[in-house]
Amino acid sequence: MNYRISQRAASLAPSLTLAIDSKAKQMKAEGMDVVGFGAGEPDFDTPDHIKMAAIKGLADGFTKYTPSSGIPELRQAVADKFKRENGLSYKPSQVIISCGGKHSCFNVIIATCEAGDEVIIPAPYWLSYPEMVKLAGATPVVLTTTDRTEFKVTPDQLRGAITARTRLFILNSPSNPTGSVYTPAEIKALGDICVEKGVLIMSDEIYEHLLYDGAKHQSVASFSPAHYDHTIVVHGFAKAWSMTGWRLGFLAAPEPIAKAIDAVQSHSTSNPTSFAQRGGVAALNGSQAHLPSWLAEYDRRRKFAWEKFNAMPGVSCVNSRGAFYLFPNISKLGLTSADFCARLLEQEKVAAVPGIAFGADDYIRISYATGMANIEKGMARIDRFVRALAK
Ligand SMILES: *Cc1c(COP(=O)(O)O)cnc(C)c1O
């Protein structure tokens, strides 16, 4: 049988992150002592009050379809969060609850982009963005950045990439995979250009609460009514509440875009899991007391790993200011990022993600969302690996 795969699906690059992850898991299952730096998820458990809210939902029989864009309490809780934390006024009808932040991104792109449209994506990028753009039939336009600018695009670079076909600019600060955080002034400057040129911004702010060294987050939507009108803010519960497996995310958009996304979602996934949404309400409206201790722990790990990288011959690493990743430069060691990571896994049993997966072959990505003992062991192994390479 000759199965014809659609152009749309055939054009997708398979996920290198997942390939590394499944190899590492297989090695672990075979009894090997693998240190996993590949995961893009917190190692902390979901806070209890959130779990209890979902359990109560189940016990109460809250197990049926909900409105496709989410339960009114959760849309209201999201609107309240944006008001309280970001100074943004959204009506609940402008808020869409989806099956994860990834799904929210997908909905935005599918609802706003089509064949002939260009979408500007700064690299290193979260690896799903270009693939989602391709799924929508649109064209990703990648803007390369390096560690010399802390992986930030400059206003001139953005301006130079905008054409009559540019539909969307994707902004992700704090960033996965680099941990880079734009200052409010830098965000505003990029937003100003999009407003001037009539380009929409998809601002993925899922790491907004994970900041270090006094870094500040400000949503691009908050600088003026015009910025607000040009922006869709994407967010979710995965990172700051450690709810990756719950599949729950949200977005806020100008009314016509929210309406279009509502229609898309109503014909694809329908509502996110009913009782998970109850957990979402508890996450937003309940105590945030877990966060300071998580942040202190991430910060400790970040400093430790960053110092270790910079002490390795031929390796340099700008420190991250947000999220839970480091993105060291390994280009002086003479291997592609894929070869580096394959050999590191083979020889030292450490799983890291090659930068090429994020459009940046000079680097690798390390997640420090894993215990300190793991980090100490893994960094010692990387150090030994790098010293052998540098000889
Ligand atoms: C984790 C992540 C998301 C959303 O993940 P979900 O599990 O789908 O909520 C979105 N954007 C970035 C950059 C991420 O790292």
Side-chain angles (χ1 to χ4, degrees), residues 172-192:
N172 173 218
S173 177
S175 155
N176 176 5
T178 66
S180 176
V181 180
Y182 287 83
T183 65
E186 288 165 343
I187 297 256
K188 178 175 183 300
L190 298 176
D192 288 349

Side-chain angles (χ1 to χ4, degrees), residues 24 34 44 171 189 264 273 280 332 345 356 369 373:
V34 176
F44 303 108
L171 185 60
V264 168
T273 304
K332 291 212 175 81
L345 184 57
I356 190 72

Side-chain angles (χ1 to χ4, degrees), residues 25 28 64 71 153 156 169 220 234 237 264 301 330 334 355:
K25 285 199 172 118
K28 253 186 200 160
K64 302 292 166 59
I71 56 176
V153 283
D156 282 347
F169 170 56
V220 65
V234 169
F237 295 94
V264 168
R301 301 167 180 177
I330 50 106

Side-chain angles (χ1 to χ4, degrees), residues 40 99-103 105 126 129 172 176 204 206-207 234 236-239 244 247-249 325:
C99 311
K102 183 180 276 185
H103 184 216
C105 292
W126 189 43
Y129 298 142
N172 173 218
N176 176 5
D204 183 344
I206 195 151
Y207 292 101
V234 169
F237 295 94
K239 309 297 160 45
T244 48
R247 309 315 304 134
L248 200 62
Y325 308 102

Side-chain angles (χ1 to χ4, degrees), residues 310-326:
N310 283 304
M312 294 176 195
V315 177
S316 59
C317 186
V318 297
N319 210 343
S320 61
R321 307 281 174 223
F324 39 61
Y325 308 102
L326 286 171

